[in-house]
Structure formats: C-alpha cells, structure tokens
Amino acid sequence: KEVWRKIGKPEDFNDEFQLVSYEDPSPVPWSGVTAKSGAWVRLEEGEFTAFSITCRHLGCPVRWVKGPELFMCPCHGGVYYKDGTVAAGPPPEPLHRMEVRTRDGLVEIKTTPVPLTTTPLKASDV
C-alpha cells in the first residue's frame, strides 16, 4: 500500500539532495531496523524532487555524490544521473521517483514498499 509520510518543513530543503528516512509502509511487527527506508530529496526552483534510496538492480542503498552529481550504488557499480536515469552499471531502470506534496505546512512523500525493478532479472544480471 502507499502511505504519505511527513519528512520536514519546506525550509528544511534546498537545491542539494539530502537523505530523509521514514518507516516503510508495509512493516510487520518483527521488522526492526528493516522497517526503515529512505529517500533523496531536494527543492530546486520551487519544485521538489525525491528518489527512493533503493537501487533498481538488487536493492542496495544508493548514495548522492555532490562533486560529480551522481547517485552511486556500492554493491554492483550502478550509477545514476541527478535526474535518476541510469548512467552506468547493471540497473535496468531509473531510480524510483517519489511523489512529493506540501500539506499543512509540511513536506510529505508518497511511500511504497521497497521499489525494485519492474523488469524481470536474468541469472546473468545477478
């Protein structure tokens, strides 16, 4: 299921991607730390952009590297441009873009269970 999660106030964000964390919308009581997920969010020219932290290859968390302006996955070398499209490596799809809204003075993102690829993987992809 999809759940809107509050992630801060509009003034908490700027034109640099920053990591926010939230509870996955489908946790079970024994999930523990695995119930936590994250997104990279920025506000540029009045528009919010949010990407899931999850690499579309096999689900490792990507990190934002400011200098070259790339999202990089440490597990298998996946690289994404700042618009979320694939730059290099094995990811079959762009980063999952999340919906963002401002409601009652707070920024919210629409969360879903961990978004992996919608393209079936072959044994050679692993």
Side-chain angles (χ1 to χ4, degrees):
K1 63 182 179 178
E2 299 174 336
V3 178
W4 286 98
R5 299 280 190 209
K6 294 172 180 64
I7 58 170
K9 298 177 183 177
E11 58 268 21
D12 295 338
F13 299 93
N14 57 42
D15 63 352
E16 188 60 44
F17 279 104
Q18 57 193 82
L19 182 61
V20 297
S21 63
Y22 59 88
E23 184 176 287
D24 185 278
S26 59
V28 289
W30 57 87
S31 294
V33 73
T34 63
K36 296 290 183 192
S37 194
W40 289 102
V41 181
R42 76 174 177 173
L43 174 62
E44 185 175 49
E45 298 179 14
E47 294 287 325
F48 280 98
T49 302
F51 294 110
S52 170
I53 194 173
T54 308
C55 180
R56 297 301 284 267
H57 177 226
L58 293 176
C60 293
V62 299
R63 71 183 195 287
W64 171 248
V65 182
K66 183 178 179 177
E69 295 190 322
L70 296 169
F71 292 100
M72 302 183 84
C73 180
C75 295
H76 302 102
V79 181
Y80 301 87
Y81 294 113
K82 68 179 179 179
D83 68 356
T85 58
V86 177
E93 296 177 5
L95 286 173
H96 174 70
R97 190 175 192 125
M98 303 171 81
E99 289 184 52
V100 184
R101 71 180 183 191
T102 303
R103 186 175 179 168
D104 298 326
L106 294 173
V107 180
E108 299 179 334
I109 54 176
K110 186 187 267 185
T111 63
T112 60
V114 175
L116 292 176
T117 182
T118 56
T119 306
L121 294 175
K122 304 177 293 267
S124 62
D125 293 332
V126 181

